[in-house]
Amino acid sequence: MKRVLITYRLKPEGLTVLNDKYELTLPKDRSFFSREEVLELIPEYDVLVPNFSFFTDKEIMDRGVNLELISNFGVGFNNIDVDYATRKGIVVTNIPKTTREPTAEFAFALLLGAARRIGYYDRKIRTPQGVSWGTYTDAGLPVFGKTLGIIGMGRIGQSLARRAVASGMNIIYNNRNRLAEDIEKQYSARFVSKDELLKTADFISLNAPSTPETYHMIGEKEFYMMKQTAVFINTARGDMVDEKAMLKALKENRIWAAALDVFENEPHILPELLELDNVLLAPHAGTKTLEDRIAMSVEMAQNIVGFYEGTYPISRVN
């Protein structure tokens, strides 16, 4: 019987496919195992299930002398040293299907929330000084008829585009490779260079994967290329953005607002970001509904069963 070490306390209803043939270990009296606990436990296990915030590095893989599979609980896999796993002969999988729609849904919610200043209004209306009810004071931005620039037009980017088109937005995108013509037609999307996207989009959403090549792909130069009325949305990964450069652009009103679900050093957030009224913040909650998190567990567990038994297709990243 293969032994599976799950670093986070996942709900049992998402793990039923593993119950009979696999021995599961996961935290029972707290939310997660510490790194030290994983290092102590891992030598006895064949499978490791890290969540998207648990970094699985060389030390953990070297201690995992029986480790055959890392079944990541997340679509992004920058929390895993995939190159080293490949050298060790360890297969890495992720969960792209169940994360697609909730992440796109949340990205569009952030877009709307930042544009129409919903978070700002909610905060201010609760305070003793209140918020202006004037005709023009503290006005937001319209979304209908505006241009959304999507950096990374994969599954999530396309699902975001579908929502934006339904709201009357125009789509431009930048991708490692241009999409097929029939896919572009679905969204009336136009492929442009990254520079053109940054200069012309009213809303810019980062949906590309985090890799060594995309580290700080949005920095001071990129923020200063954006319109002063631009809204920047990030539901991808925090290390793709130079946070200090973003903070500077926001404080100097070089861009109009940012809406962020991920951060460079999460869960730690730059204190100055917390003080700005033109930032909408969320705690890496793009897939955070009970139904979606259970569905993610099912997909993750099916990767394990598919790897050992071949009964499900698996999503390999190496």
Side-chain angles (χ1 to χ4, degrees):
M1 183 177 285
K2 296 296 181 179
R3 304 187 72 191
V4 180
L5 178 61
I6 302 173
T7 64
Y8 202 83
R9 188 176 62 194
L10 301 178
K11 289 189 174 294
E13 51 263 53
L15 306 173
T16 55
V17 73
L18 298 172
N19 285 346
D20 296 331
K21 295 184 180 180
Y22 299 85
E23 180 183 331
L24 306 184
T25 300
L26 65 165
K28 290 187 170 65
D29 57 351
R30 59 197 188 283
S31 295
F32 58 89
F33 285 131
S34 68
R35 177 179 174 83
E36 290 70 27
E37 289 172 316
V38 171
L39 283 168
E40 183 178 344
L41 291 166
I42 196 64
E44 306 299 321
Y45 288 84
D46 307 286
V47 182
L48 176 66
V49 179
N51 80 327
F52 44 74
S53 62
F54 185 89
F55 191 65
T56 307
D57 59 6
K58 179 180 185 295
E59 183 180 17
I60 287 175
M61 286 183 255
D62 285 344
R63 290 289 297 273
V65 292
N66 295 312
L67 198 58
E68 299 171 321
L69 173 66
I70 300 172
S71 185
N72 199 39
F73 185 73
V75 61
F77 42 87
N78 63 313
N79 59 308
I80 300 168
D81 188 339
V82 176
D83 289 341
Y84 191 71
T86 303
R87 292 200 294 273
K88 294 276 289 185
I90 300 169
V91 171
V92 179
T93 59
N94 70 339
I95 48 174
K97 296 175 185 175
T98 52
T99 51
R100 174 178 181 166
E101 293 301 334
T103 305
E105 183 175 85
F106 200 74
F108 196 60
L110 288 173
L111 184 156
L112 289 172
R116 299 307 305 271
R117 308 200 74 178
I118 294 170
Y120 171 79
Y121 293 151
D122 180 73
R123 285 195 307 275
K124 294 299 183 183
I125 208 167
R126 296 169 186 268
T127 63
Q129 63 269 30
V131 68
S132 172
W133 294 67
T135 303
Y136 302 110
T137 307
D138 294 337
L141 295 174
V143 169
F144 181 83
K146 298 300 182 180
T147 297
L148 170 61
I150 298 174
I151 301 175
M153 191 73 159
R155 289 183 177 93
I156 294 169
Q158 290 177 40
S159 290
L160 173 59
R162 189 178 75 245
R163 289 166 169 81
V165 168
S167 294
M169 301 188 79
N170 306 304
I171 307 298
I172 59 176
Y173 76 96
N174 178 259
N175 210 41
R176 187 165 39 191
N177 299 302
R178 184 170 180 173
L179 299 175
E181 186 178 351
D182 62 321
I183 297 176
E184 288 186 340
K185 284 183 177 178
Q186 289 181 44
Y187 314 106
S188 299
R190 185 166 61 90
F191 179 73
V192 297
S193 69
K194 189 176 87 167
D195 284 1
E196 183 178 349
L197 185 150
L198 293 170
K199 290 175 182 177
T200 60
D202 301 296
F203 298 84
I204 297 165
S205 179
L206 187 55
N207 298 101
S210 173
T211 66
E213 293 73 33
T214 60
Y215 176 77
H216 278 194
M217 69 180 295
I218 305 295
E220 185 171 12
K221 172 190 168 187
E222 288 74 21
F223 283 114
Y224 275 70
M225 292 172 69
M226 298 177 190
K227 294 179 177 181
Q228 283 192 273
T229 53
V231 175
F232 176 70
I233 304 111
N234 188 8
T235 55
R237 286 293 184 268
D239 63 1
M240 299 165 70
V241 178
D242 182 339
E243 273 191 4
K244 290 182 179 178
M246 179 177 61
L247 175 65
K248 181 181 178 185
L250 288 163
K251 289 175 70 175
E252 295 178 355
N253 294 313
R254 290 295 309 172
I255 62 172
W256 197 78
L260 310 170
D261 187 40
V262 290
F263 305 90
E264 195 165 357
N265 298 297
E266 61 187 56
H268 305 292
I269 302 173
L270 287 177
E272 287 177 284
L273 281 176
L274 303 176
E275 300 170 3
L276 296 179
D277 283 331
N278 57 345
V279 184
L280 185 60
L281 305 171
H284 206 140
T287 59
K288 204 173 200 178
T289 74
L290 181 59
E291 288 182 24
D292 289 315
R293 289 282 164 93
I294 290 173
M296 288 166 61
S297 294
V298 171
E299 185 178 1
M300 177 278 296
Q302 288 176 345
N303 274 331
I304 297 172
V305 176
F307 175 75
Y308 284 112
E309 303 176 39
T311 50
Y312 297 99
I314 69 173
S315 178
R316 288 185 65 148
V317 300
N318 67 342

